[in-house]
Each structure stands twice: as C-alpha cells, then as structure tokens.
Amino acid sequence: MREALLAGAALDLLIGDPQWMPHPVRAIGWWASRLEPRLRALFNGWLAGVIFWLLVVGPASALVWFSVMWLPPGRVSGALTIYWVYSLLAIRSLDRETMRAVAALASGDLHAARQAISMVVGRDTAALDEAGILRAAIETIAENLSDAIVAPLFYFAIAGPPAMAAYKAINTLDSMVGYKNDRYRDFGWFSARADDWANWIPARLTAVLISICGLRFRTSISVAWRDARSQPSPNSGWPEAAMAGALGVRLGGVSHYQGRESVKAVLGDDIQPLSFSAYRKARIVLYAVSGASIALAWSVCR
C-alpha cells in the first residue's frame, strides 16, 4: 500500500488530471446527476436526499473496494490501487488551474484571468480586479488543500482506497447539492452535513500543516484559532485563516454569487498586500503541505 501511495502521488504530480482521461469524480457526478430526478419523483424532501447519498457514496466505495481488496494481490490490484490514489488526488490540477489565472493576470490580460479563475471558484468573476483574482486564487488553494489533498490522504491512511473514494463522493455531492436554496435545502441537507462531518478533522489538520509549512507557525495558528470560526462553514475557515496568517494577508470579505452580494468575516491581518509574491508563497505552501501529507499517510498505512 505504501508503494502504491508514492507511485500514485508521483503520477498526480507529473501529469495531473488530463481532461481527455476518464475520471472517477466525473463519473460520480454523472451518476448523481441522473439519479437525482428519479429519486425526487419517488420520494420527498430529506428522505430522497438520504437515499440519494447512499446510492452514490455506497457504490463508489464498493467499486473501489472490489477492485483493490477483493481481487487477489498482484499486478492488477496493485496497478488499480496506484490509479485510485492518482485519480483521487488533485495536487497538480489545483496548482495548474489557479496558475493559469494568475499567469494571465501577470501578462496584463485581465479578461482572460477572470475567465480562468471562474473555472475554479463559484463566485462571480466578471468584475474582479487584480487583488480580487489573487484573493480568489489563494483562497482556492487553501480550501482545496483540505478537500483535494489532505482529506483524501487522511482517509487513505485510515482505510485505504475505498475510504478515499467514499470521501471524494461525499465531497462531490456537497458541491452538487449542498446548497441552502429552495431547490436543495431539504434534498441536499444530508449531503451537506455528511461533508461537514467528513471534513472536520482534515480541515483542522490542514490548518496545522499550513502553519508549519508556511514557516510562521505561531502567527498562522493564532489567526486560524481567532478567525476560522467566524465563517459560515464549520470547516473551510480553518485552512483559509491559517493561509492568511502564513502569508500575512487578509482573505474573506465581500464576494458576489449570481449577482447577490455575500459578506463574510475577514480572515487574517492586512500586513502584506494581496500580491503576486503572496500567491507564489501560497504555491510553495501547497507543495510543502502536499509533501507533508503524503509522508504522514505513508507513515500510517501498511
């Protein structure tokens, strides 16, 4: 299992997630999008949402369990374990997507930068200025350090690829239906709560790792402790606040979603401006935390 972890992580770092390649997260999204209307036609409200969650997370985990645990040990099961680790991590893709936006910004193409950052954030990007794009990129790195890297590795260390797949299914469902609007308030309630529970430890572990790897441990961890709980999410504020403290910048504040203003509490202190230098340090923290997470998972798993 340790060798597969290292091989899968190395593949992710080398090639990322090519769009032409079939991907389990896209398969989960495809299955969920077709299952939702059928369940809504049969059941009402939160019950439909619970059944929906079970019929997505269960098969995702069972398929991976079958492929790596039921098959006899050998080249096939070993290669499949490497594939699951590779495909369920997103280190290179997270860096690549945010870097595309910042590279366009650095070249002076604000329009292209807005378009690129819109591919990785849910907020409106048409009116973002330079600082707004840099803030969105840094916040995306911080939050997804937990969702896309630390949490999958945490569950891999606990119970191998099936737990890793279950986590990615839980996280995908939250991004699809975990909204407090009229359409999903009841149907998506269980998916949102399950994601909160699944991320409780990984989000706080990510904050600690960011504080260590950002080389400003006391400042970063104190900012996380002070500001993280001010956010609507019980988890996302921890890695974002820790990153704000590590960089000495201020994150959070005002954003717009579908034309509506959303005001969140600020994270961190305005010691340094939201600059290209801050983004470059965030990238260093991204890879340092990823390396530390891989090392921790390697030390735990067998």
Side-chain angles (χ1 to χ4, degrees):
M1 197 73 78
R2 285 176 164 180
E3 293 78 7
L5 168 64
L6 296 179
L11 271 177
D12 179 66
L13 287 166
L14 286 171
I15 64 176
D17 175 26
Q19 290 300 307
W20 55 265
M21 184 181 292
H23 195 279
V25 173
R26 287 193 284 272
I28 290 168
W30 176 87
W31 170 238
S33 65
R34 280 150 182 78
L35 191 61
E36 179 186 343
R38 290 168 172 79
L39 285 175
R40 284 182 179 274
L42 295 173
F43 303 98
N44 292 319
W46 67 268
L47 179 60
V50 172
I51 296 171
F52 169 75
W53 187 90
L54 291 171
L55 290 179
V56 176
V57 176
S61 182
L63 174 64
V64 176
W65 179 87
F66 178 85
S67 70
V68 301
M69 301 298 185
W70 188 82
L71 291 176
R75 291 184 179 180
V76 174
S77 61
L80 285 170
T81 301
I82 292 170
Y83 170 75
W84 294 125
V85 173
Y86 153 69
S87 62
L88 296 172
L89 281 178
I91 304 169
R92 180 71 182 276
S93 296
L94 173 58
D95 183 35
R96 181 185 291 157
E97 294 301 322
T98 55
M99 189 166 57
R100 184 178 293 121
V102 176
L105 189 64
S107 70
D109 193 340
L110 184 59
H111 176 70
R114 288 167 173 166
Q115 285 189 316
I117 202 65
S118 72
M119 303 301 293
V120 293
V121 298
R123 72 194 69 178
D124 299 340
T125 62
L128 290 183
D129 58 8
E130 178 179 300
I133 290 171
L134 289 169
R135 180 190 132 199
I138 292 170
E139 288 176 351
T140 297
I141 289 174
E143 183 174 359
N144 283 282
L145 262 173
S146 180
D147 293 353
I149 300 164
V150 175
L153 289 170
F154 174 80
Y155 286 102
F156 177 89
I158 290 175
M164 196 180 193
Y167 170 77
K168 291 302 292 186
I170 290 168
N171 191 241
T172 300
L173 292 187
D174 179 63
S175 68
M176 293 180 69
V177 304
Y179 301 104
K180 295 180 180 179
N181 55 28
D182 291 341
R183 177 176 175 82
Y184 289 118
R185 184 172 289 107
D186 293 329
F187 184 85
W189 174 83
F190 188 79
S191 292
R193 294 293 76 74
D195 187 72
D196 289 343
W197 301 328
N199 279 300
W200 199 93
I201 294 175
R204 287 149 182 81
L205 175 59
T206 305
V208 173
L209 291 174
I210 289 172
S211 299
I212 294 170
C213 295
L215 302 180
R216 297 182 64 189
F217 179 79
R218 291 183 64 182
T219 300
S220 182
I221 207 70
S222 65
V223 169
W225 186 258
R226 184 192 71 193
D227 294 344
R229 286 166 288 189
S230 67
Q231 299 300 295
S233 166
N235 297 316
S236 66
W238 287 93
E240 289 183 22
M243 183 69 81
L247 305 183
V249 300
R250 179 170 289 171
L251 302 176
V254 179
S255 299
H256 291 82
Y257 296 86
Q258 298 180 342
R260 295 182 178 181
E261 184 177 88
S262 173
V263 182
K264 297 180 181 178
V266 296
L267 303 168
D269 302 306
D270 195 12
I271 300 170
Q272 302 289 337
L274 282 164
S275 61
F276 291 102
S277 176
Y279 168 74
R280 286 192 292 271
K281 185 174 181 182
R283 285 189 70 213
I284 293 171
V285 173
L286 162 63
Y287 282 103
V289 170
S290 298
S293 301
I294 292 165
L296 284 172
W298 181 89
S299 70
V300 172
C301 71
R302 293 290 182 267

